[in-house]
């Protein structure tokens, strides 16, 4: 059964720092991996989608990498800003549950201070 | 292009009552997924509808049910409400099954059971 873990659970950094959020999954047989952002009490905003055949995706100050064989993904945020404060969720589409749903980690809550 | 919409935003019910939550997917999306996000438990998959049919369900009791209409909008019904059903319910849509497609989330319905 696929499980997704995110470390750390919470992270506080000063504005301007570069930071890395980690995601690991137990079964490397995935179709894709998605990173989402969730503001308190709100829905999810898709940040980046990496297909299983890809190694990384970039959008603005965000870069996500995928190492399927080791079951790891990282989300790199450059030059962090207070507006980046939110919970970041990693989710995989697992081949053992094709079409079922995304399997989510519990998220990393990021706080960027000015 | 309008995003995924959900109604109502907030819903307050008493234990034992029934709740109905609604979701309209992005135009052109045929798959609708429902997730529950209860405090401390992370996002849990509830139900998946595609082309009007229930395709799969998560590990939830039968009192969680729903349907998808011909216009691909969807309804989630929760019968015999229990206190632990209090959560944020998120709807997501995709153009086909999520194994290969990016999933887009709505803002959620906050259900409170007293």
């Amino acid at each position: 059964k696929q499980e997704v873990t995110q470390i750390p659970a919470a992270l506080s950094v000063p504005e301007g720092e570069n930071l890395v959020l980690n995601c690991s999954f137990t079964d490397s047989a995935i179709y894709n991996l998605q990173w989402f952002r969730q503001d308190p009490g709100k829905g999810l905003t898709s940040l980046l989608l990496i297909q299983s055949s890809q190694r990384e995706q970039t959008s603005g100050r965000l870069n996500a990498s995928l190492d399927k064989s080791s079951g790891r993904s990282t989300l790199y945020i450059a030059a962090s800003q207070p507006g980046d404060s939110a919970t970041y969720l990693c989710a995989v589409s697992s081949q053992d549950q094709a079409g079922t749903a995304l399997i989510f980690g519990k998220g990393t809550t990021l706080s960027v201070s000015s | 292009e309008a995003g995924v919409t959900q109604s109502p935003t907030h819903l307050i019910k008493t234990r034992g009552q029934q709740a109905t939550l609604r979701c309209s997917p992005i135009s052109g999306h045929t798959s609708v997924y429902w997730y529950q996000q209860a405090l401390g438990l992370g996002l849990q998959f509830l139900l998946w509808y595609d082309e009007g049919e229930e395709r799969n369900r998560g590990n939830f009791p039968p009192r969680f049910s729903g349907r998808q209409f011909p216009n691909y909008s969807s309804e989630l019904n929760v019968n015999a409400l229990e206190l632990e059903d209090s959560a944020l319910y998120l709807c997501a849509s995709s153009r086909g099954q999520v194994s290969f497609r990016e999933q887009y989330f709505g803002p959620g319905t906050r259900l409170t059971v007293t």
Side-chain angles (χ1 to χ4, degrees):
Chain A
K1 179 186 167 188
Q2 179 75 268
E3 293 182 2
V4 179
T5 303
Q6 292 186 246
I7 294 173
L11 182 64
S12 292
V13 300
E15 182 177 6
E17 265 202 18
N18 302 324
L19 57 101
V20 173
L21 307 181
N22 297 294
C23 171
S24 62
F25 45 96
T26 54
D27 186 347
S28 62
I30 64 170
Y31 289 112
N32 58 53
L33 183 145
Q34 258 183 284
W35 282 94
F36 294 90
R37 168 186 171 137
Q38 185 175 32
D39 293 291
K42 305 293 185 182
L44 276 61
T45 301
S46 178
L47 297 174
L48 290 163
L49 169 71
I50 311 177
Q51 300 290 355
S52 62
S53 59
Q54 297 174 319
R55 297 282 297 187
E56 65 177 340
Q57 283 286 341
T58 298
S59 176
R61 295 183 293 110
L62 305 179
N63 175 276
S65 67
L66 174 64
D67 184 343
K68 209 173 64 161
S69 60
S70 67
R72 295 176 189 269
S73 176
T74 61
L75 178 67
Y76 175 82
I77 303 177
S80 59
Q81 303 171 358
D84 295 331
S85 298
T87 297
Y88 291 81
L89 295 160
C90 164
V92 299
S93 174
S94 185
Q95 292 185 17
D96 67 348
Q97 300 177 54
T100 297
L102 295 176
I103 300 165
F104 283 83
K106 291 194 173 182
T108 295
T109 299
L110 172 65
S111 176
V112 181
S113 56
S114 56
Chain B
E1 180 184 88
V4 178
T5 59
Q6 292 185 245
S7 63
T9 304
H10 295 93
L11 191 57
I12 299 174
K13 293 286 186 178
T14 304
R15 192 170 54 182
Q17 286 187 318
Q18 178 194 40
T20 298
L21 289 64
R22 296 180 177 84
C23 170
S24 291
I26 292 172
S27 177
H29 287 192
T30 61
S31 275
V32 170
Y33 294 76
W34 287 95
Y35 294 85
Q36 182 196 65
Q37 189 176 34
L39 199 61
L41 293 182
L43 271 150
Q44 306 285 321
F45 164 66
L46 264 166
L47 290 160
W48 168 38
Y49 292 94
D50 185 62
E51 296 287 356
E53 299 283 333
E54 180 181 306
R55 302 295 183 181
N56 211 336
R57 64 183 294 127
N59 189 26
F60 282 84
R63 58 191 186 82
F64 287 85
S65 65
R67 54 181 170 166
Q68 186 177 34
F69 300 98
N71 66 354
Y72 302 112
S73 66
S74 177
E75 193 175 88
L76 173 68
N77 295 294
V78 188
N79 294 319
L81 284 165
E82 300 179 3
L83 295 178
E84 54 264 34
D85 296 334
S86 294
L88 181 66
Y89 289 82
L90 293 168
C91 169
S93 73
S94 65
R95 197 185 298 272
Q97 66 172 309
V98 76
S99 304
F100 309 106
R101 305 293 186 183
E102 193 166 357
Q103 198 165 81
Y104 296 87
F105 282 77
T109 292
R110 171 73 64 184
L111 173 63
T112 302
V113 182
T114 61

